[in-house]
Amino acid sequence: MDGASELLFYVNGRKVIEKNIDPETMLLPYLRKKLGLTGTKYGCGGGGCGACTVMISRYNPITKKIRHYPANACLIPVCSVYGAAITTVEGIGSTKTRIHPVQERIAKCHGTQCGFCTPGMVMSMYTLLRNHPDPTLDQLTDALGGNLCRCTGYRPIIDACKTFCNTSGCCQSKENGVCCLKQGINGSPEVEEGDETSQKLFSEEEFLPLDPTQELIFPPELMIMAEKQPQRTRIFGSDRMTWISPVTLKELLEAKVKYPQAPVIMGNTSAGPEVKFKGLFHPVIISPDRIEELNVVNYAYDGLTLGAGLSLAQVKDILADAILKLPEEKTQTYQALLKHLQTLAGSQIRNMASLGGHIVSRHLDSDLNPILAVGNCTLNLLSKQGGRQVPLNEQFLRKSPSADLRPEEILVSVNIPYSRKWEFVSAFRQAQRQQNALAIVNSGMRVFFGEGSGIIRELSISYGGVGPTTVCAKNSCQKLIGRPWNEEMLDAACRLVLEEVFLPGSAPGGKVEFKRTLIISFLFKFYLEVSQILKRMDPVHYPSLEDKYESALEDLHSRHRWSAVNYQNVDPKQLPQDPIGHPIMHLSGIKHATGEAIYCDDMPAVDRELFLAFVTSSRAHAKIMSIDLSEALSLPGVVDVVTEGHLEGVNSFCFLTKPEKLLWSEEVFCVGQLICAVIAESEVQARRAARLVRVVYQDLEPVILTIEEAIQHNSFFEPERKLEYGNVNEAFKVVDQIVEGEIHLGGQEHFYMETQSVLAVPKREDQEMDIYVSTQHPRSIQDVVAWVLKLPANKVMCHVKRVGGAFGGKAFRTGIMAAITAFAANKHGRAVRCILERGEDMLITAGRHPYLGKYKAGVMNDGRVLALDMEHYCNGGASLDETLFVLEMGILKMENCYKFPNLRCRGRACRTNLPSNTAFRGFGFPQAALIIESCITEVAAKCGLPPEKVRTINMYKEIDQTPYKQEINTKNLMQCWKECMAMSSYSLRKAAVEKFNSENYWKKKGLAMVPVKYPVGLGSRAAGQAAALVHIYLDGSVLVTHGGIEMGQGVHTKMIQVASRELGVPLSDVHLRGTSTETVPNTNVSGGSVVADLNGLAIKDACQTLRKRLEPIISKNPRGTWKDWAQAAFEESISLSATGYFRGYESSMNWETGEGQMFEYFVFGAACSEVEIDCLTGAHKNIRTDIVMDIGRSINPAIDIGQIEGAFVQGMGLFTIEELSYSPQGVLYTRGPNQYKIPTICDIPTEFHISLLPPSQNSNTLYSSKGMGESGIFLGSSVFFAIHDAVNAARRERGLLGPLKLNSPLTPEKIRMACEDKFTKMIPRDKPGSYVPWNIPI
């Protein structure tokens, strides 16, 4: 087996030859570090986010066809791409050559914000168009299902992609025979032109056409190689690993004899994550390449034989084809498999993963194995000794020695039999999210009746997710044979299956009662499905289902998405060249789409650069007995380990109010606390060494994780905060009734796409240090680095070009990491880079504060709330961080839109043994507002009134006073509320929802409308100051710098619009290089929705200074160009550079008196959402959302609408599917996109309408604009309350009339368990205290 050890493949049309490739290298680091193609991004390392998507093209010499498919570069071993052509985002277009239509459209349709996910989106879309130049909307959403975006809310990305579809804007669902676009919203005609609003954010007519003839061709050399070259096994080796690629079946079997323990790897989607995340290591890997026998597709008389090497995407196409070709009765199993293949992972993983790999891995949540097991499939195995067949049954799935593959055997193909007449197969699954999420429970079920007697002849039921592997309920099925298919059989089946499929209370994965309920809910669905088919086949013998039961069988309402935006027209008096108010594309939009936008880790390596990796605590509360560094230091390439001892005298820094330690070596207070940092020559060496640092702990008591435990142990950060208005105690004496309740809100992970990134570069003289970092707060980084290095701040410069998303998570924690990285760089006189992996980032940096809200409301029978007493508890984690500010802001914004004449709120910050929670978009408001809206919902239920009526009656009336005695004008709040009512046709749809609910027992719809009043302000004038620097050069071009950070919110774009208006220069003549403490000193943190407001006023100030200086010059030569004026000014010694400054808005709060003028203005809005839930599984679908916002006078409506939509979707995630999971020992389980689910393209509302109020004046802000960054996040709660409404409808029908307590997030588990029915009553329940749960709610 002496193979060639030369690796040959193509990247973007250029040949790459590697003589000595390390088999452990993945394609992503190879592209980024070796080839310098940094457009392909690192987002998660596990194939879960799509940021690293590339297109792989392979030529098949037998079929003479080229297959293009998307793939995750982070999971592809570079050895496996021999003979393939790889296309990255740089290969399809760039600003230097020409841009591709996909790149152009995603940018011009405003489908990029931070831009970090954009290259992956572009490549997924590009690959789809290479295979289908005229795609359908289904293909489009399928193609993007494996790509995550945290900024945009997906709507503009879908809009961009839809321009390639034939029916560009249409939802393709013609109700009443009329296209939705012709009906307008709700069937009313579209708004006439000449109105105050506009509906198009981009113009399709200008787009470059898609021309398939202009694409890169497949390299002819690779075709010739595939056709002509004698095929032989290739071997690549390093000192740790050998990679063997056999190209014939014979060689594969020989390799398996020689290395029986070596895994056979095709797509690396199963082994890859295990190596990366679980530390598995294989010294030898066998990876077959293009072996014909592994790719067979054979239609035999008794079934279909599929090669084990076929990718899941190919299997999906083959099955879809078989279903069309064959009679329906033969394709029952194929239809069930296809159903699961449509939601299994994302398109990239389906194209990489092989059928054989999926089967043999036998993951406990495998979506296909339960169906293959019930479908009587057999596996064709082969070894040097010969072939044999084994059934894919329980013994095989359990890996019983007699039924498993022997070490020298391989799986060649799978036989999937045809189904027979009177045989029915179904598949079911429920996951945290509808697509691209591992199943919580899945199932395959098959029944065979022989003839149409309705007597069970064969029955087979398998479940995934409820044991260490797929579980078959064999005994239960055996006992049911011979019984008729009726309700008694169903009842017996449920009891038998629950007994046989035993799930202990401490089962891994948690959600035990939910899983038990799903086991029998799926069985009931199967019973109904089969009953319905039997009725259709033989209407005489089989009773028809009750009408209202039929809904259990229908998939959740899913139509093609369409959306409408309605925004303000530009003031007709405005000059034509003035860009303010126009939907200008994001300044970096095209560069995001071409991969040319540079993020921190895209910067080329500095000479002799080192890499830093952290060692973190694995205990929640412990004393460190010893730290042994010897093994780590002995590894080749390791330079140093920085510990607390090195940082003597500088190991703590006061970020806000309390000093915080950087490294911990004596005692740790949470899992994920930084203990030391390993410095090595490469990232691989640093991470390997970090794993070898041995820390010995002695556990300490107590370990406090939850708010309830903190209250019990009196573990709080000081001080308590309290706000009181009116006389609460007296008011309680006169009310008609009292409503008491509480609600718990879980935390939220920021999940910015670009993880924490720092590059520290020491200069060679004067001890200067440059820090390139992904942060919201350059000044804070400068301060802490200067402190640790014992230098004045003028020697430390912090530079930020752009940030790949932040949402509050890149302020103070980033400073700690930057300080340690800079210390290492300074110590060794070499540049040091530190890039956190996704799992580390989620562990170390924490996120939004979990909250517990308690309320007691005194209510009149007409719904008026006269008295309200509340308590807020927030889980701060192990250190104070920004917790106190979050708590204060929550209390100051707690009343949302309501005037309560008598109000009291107390707030406590809990100190717990979790990583310190920090700032997050909305900053305490989403939690506080959900508490008040839950209270209002409960008041409505108690008074027997609709919630919207109680909301209206308690709302602020025009001019009023807040609880901290600041005057407020809420005229626009009422306008938003009324417009949202009208735009959403609330009352009509409310009646339609009620009608639907009366006709459907197992599906329910809910409708809810929520108002928002978001106060904007920072708490002090100093926190709101901003500065800018504007230069005009002699050729008339302008350079602008300011203190704001571009993190996706489009602040740089708006700033250029401001400079263009104030100076009167075209946008194209203004440039912005990035943010640096070198040009603008003492900047404030970028956050709080005011970055554009404050920095814009500073730029306006600088530009007006310059304009004033130049007025005499311009008046002398009014027709001159900017070049003429700049030259003339220079000749007359007039300075062409100016600083601008804004002092900040007045903002203060006195907590003693409970009075303050905290906020400069208020953003108002309202959202109405309609959902449909499946009462049997807990799944929900967001059918439609209407949003109306008051945003003053928009500077850039495209950017502002993008902020509203992105915040809404992030809020929807917070309140529905984003669930953090911790062990009882305080270890975070959810450390990546595979465990933690943020919304994907399939979660956004099917219909999405956004409308902005006409412009309103506000003298103090920048051009009367309002900051939009955070207010929209709470609008996501409209989905929460719509689900609440639907669950309530289900409970009412089932006779459950007590108060309904639903906590956030409203996951499928909580929805299903709240829809109590005979199945939830049937399951066994474990006594609390009788077992140790796998996870605890935090």
Side-chain angles (χ1 to χ4, degrees), residues 450-526:
E451 283 312 307
S453 60
I455 302 293
I456 298 170
R457 286 258 297 271
E458 290 175 24
L459 181 65
S460 188
I461 299 171
S462 289
Y463 292 103
V466 293
T469 181
T470 304
V471 176
C472 304
K474 218 163 62 194
N475 299 341
S476 308
C477 293
Q478 203 55 47
K479 289 177 184 162
L480 294 165
I481 286 173
R483 294 187 66 153
W485 193 256
N486 56 22
E487 293 266 350
E488 292 83 77
M489 181 283 305
L490 171 69
D491 198 56
C494 289
R495 292 180 198 287
L496 286 166
V497 168
L498 277 175
E499 237 170 81
E500 185 175 357
V501 182
F502 173 70
L503 202 58
S506 55
K511 305 182 195 285
V512 172
E513 291 182 355
F514 178 41
K515 288 179 174 179
R516 288 173 185 159
T517 310
L518 286 176
I519 286 172
I520 50 177
S521 298
F522 287 163
L523 197 51
F524 176 59
K525 282 196 162 210
F526 183 54

Side-chain angles (χ1 to χ4, degrees), residues 87 134 185 221 229 261 315 505 526 586 674 747 893 952 1184:
T87 308
D134 198 2
I185 301 173
E221 181 186 355
Q229 217 175 1
Q261 297 312 313
V315 171
F526 183 54
H586 193 295
L674 305 181
K893 300 175 183 184
T952 312
R1184 172 170 165 180

Side-chain angles (χ1 to χ4, degrees), residues 502-763:
F502 173 70
L503 202 58
S506 55
K511 305 182 195 285
V512 172
E513 291 182 355
F514 178 41
K515 288 179 174 179
R516 288 173 185 159
T517 310
L518 286 176
I519 286 172
I520 50 177
S521 298
F522 287 163
L523 197 51
F524 176 59
K525 282 196 162 210
F526 183 54
Y527 168 75
L528 292 178
E529 266 183 31
V530 174
S531 302
Q532 194 182 41
I533 302 168
L534 289 174
K535 165 78 187 139
R536 231 181 18 235
M537 287 170 76
D538 187 354
V540 180
H541 286 91
Y542 298 103
S544 57
L545 292 178
E546 279 186 63
D547 284 350
K548 61 180 197 172
Y549 271 35
E550 290 208 355
S551 66
L553 302 176
E554 289 154 25
D555 280 335
L556 278 182
H557 179 107
S558 185
R559 287 203 346 229
H560 284 299
R561 291 171 182 77
W562 70 291
S563 57
V565 293
N566 213 2
Y567 67 92
Q568 310 160 344
N569 266 341
V570 174
D571 187 341
K573 296 192 278 296
Q574 196 170 309
L575 293 170
Q577 67 272 32
D578 178 354
I580 297 293
H582 289 281
I584 306 287
M585 179 180 74
H586 193 295
L587 195 59
S588 301
I590 298 283
K591 288 182 292 183
H592 290 156
T594 59
E596 291 167 278
I598 303 291
Y599 298 83
C600 185
D601 192 34
D602 298 339
M603 296 177 66
V606 182
D607 187 34
R608 297 174 63 243
E609 178 183 291
L610 299 169
F611 193 90
L612 181 146
F614 287 107
V615 175
T616 57
S617 155
S618 59
R619 304 293 169 87
H621 188 195
K623 193 173 175 192
I624 293 180
M625 307 306 286
S626 66
I627 303 173
D628 180 3
L629 309 174
S630 55
E631 215 179 326
L633 285 167
S634 69
L635 271 194
V638 175
V639 174
D640 195 3
V641 179
V642 176
T643 62
E644 184 176 351
H646 292 104
L647 300 172
E648 212 176 318
V650 293
N651 191 40
S652 74
F653 184 77
C654 191
F655 285 99
L656 287 161
T657 48
K658 293 241 173 104
E660 187 153 340
K661 280 177 79 166
L662 309 184
L663 291 175
W664 303 72
S665 65
E666 287 164 8
E667 192 175 337
V668 287
F669 294 94
C670 68
V671 175
Q673 216 148 21
L674 305 181
I675 293 175
C676 60
V678 177
I679 326 295
E681 299 284 350
S682 74
E683 179 174 357
V684 171
Q685 290 165 331
R687 294 200 189 286
R688 210 172 273 162
R691 284 195 284 273
L692 295 177
V693 172
R694 306 281 174 237
V695 183
V696 178
Y697 303 93
Q698 183 185 347
D699 287 332
L700 298 173
E701 292 290 326
V703 173
I704 300 168
L705 301 175
T706 66
I707 289 171
E708 290 77 4
E709 287 167 348
I711 295 169
Q712 188 189 329
H713 287 93
N714 200 24
S715 174
F716 298 111
F717 293 109
E718 290 306 317
E720 175 185 274
R721 283 285 182 242
K722 182 174 157 192
L723 188 61
E724 198 160 351
Y725 185 87
N727 189 332
V728 177
N729 297 346
E730 285 302 309
F732 271 119
K733 294 175 185 170
V734 300
V735 296
D736 293 339
Q737 44 185 331
I738 286 177
V739 176
E740 289 190 70
E742 63 176 57
I743 181 167
H744 187 282
L745 288 91
Q748 185 180 24
E749 160 61 30
H750 297 97
F751 214 95
Y752 29 71
M753 295 304 292
E754 176 200 30
T755 59
Q756 301 275 353
S757 311
V758 184
L759 174 61
V761 183
K763 296 294 189 189

Side-chain angles (χ1 to χ4, degrees), residues 769-989:
M769 178 73 72
D770 276 336
I771 311 285
Y772 301 92
V773 56
S774 180
T775 183
Q776 296 169 256
H777 202 355
R779 185 195 81 215
S780 159
I781 305 273
Q782 182 185 33
D783 290 348
V784 64
V785 169
W787 162 257
V788 167
L789 300 185
K790 299 180 179 164
L791 291 173
N794 63 6
K795 300 276 180 79
V796 177
M797 289 304 139
C798 179
H799 312 279
V800 186
K801 177 75 178 168
R802 61 174 59 80
V803 172
F807 314 112
K810 290 184 175 172
F812 299 106
R813 297 281 114 195
T814 313
I816 293 175
M817 289 175 269
I820 297 163
T821 308
F823 179 86
N826 190 55
K827 184 180 175 193
H828 294 281
R830 293 167 70 175
V832 178
R833 192 180 294 251
C834 172
I835 312 293
L836 291 192
E837 290 204 313
R838 176 64 61 191
E840 289 180 294
D841 191 303
M842 291 180 76
L843 179 67
I844 294 168
T845 62
R848 192 184 295 283
H849 293 75
Y851 253 65
L852 172 66
K854 301 184 178 189
Y855 51 83
K856 177 181 168 189
V859 187
M860 304 310 282
N861 290 336
D862 63 359
R864 281 176 300 136
V865 179
L866 294 192
L868 186 59
D869 196 357
M870 290 197 288
E871 289 173 46
H872 286 186
Y873 294 94
C874 77
N875 192 330
S879 63
L880 189 58
D881 200 284
E882 298 190 61
T883 297
L884 191 58
F885 291 148
V886 169
L887 186 74
E888 288 177 355
M889 284 297 185
I891 291 172
L892 290 169
K893 300 175 183 184
M894 65 181 163
E895 88 285 16
N896 194 14
C897 299
Y898 309 110
K899 174 68 174 184
F900 303 116
N902 305 285
L903 175 68
R904 181 194 302 134
C905 184
R906 293 189 189 86
R908 296 300 309 254
C910 301
R911 182 182 212 135
T912 61
N913 297 111
L914 290 177
S916 181
N917 285 309
T918 187
F920 198 140
R921 192 180 202 168
F923 211 74
F925 173 70
Q927 297 100 313
L930 193 76
I931 295 165
I932 202 70
E933 293 297 343
S934 297
C935 174
I936 290 279
T937 306
E938 198 158 325
V939 165
K942 194 85 183 268
C943 297
L945 295 166
E948 64 280 7
K949 192 167 180 188
V950 177
R951 289 192 166 103
T952 312
I953 202 168
N954 285 294
M955 228 174 254
Y956 277 113
K957 307 292 180 278
E958 298 241 343
I959 307 291
D960 218 321
Q961 199 183 48
T962 65
Y964 41 91
K965 303 190 174 62
Q966 178 172 341
E967 192 177 280
I968 179 172
N969 179 351
T970 59
K971 176 170 159 277
N972 284 357
L973 170 64
M974 289 314 292
Q975 199 180 336
C976 285
W977 183 249
K978 285 174 186 156
E979 263 196 41
C980 192
M981 275 271 176
M983 177 167 126
S984 65
S985 311
Y986 189 85
S987 40
L988 275 175
R989 282 171 54 219

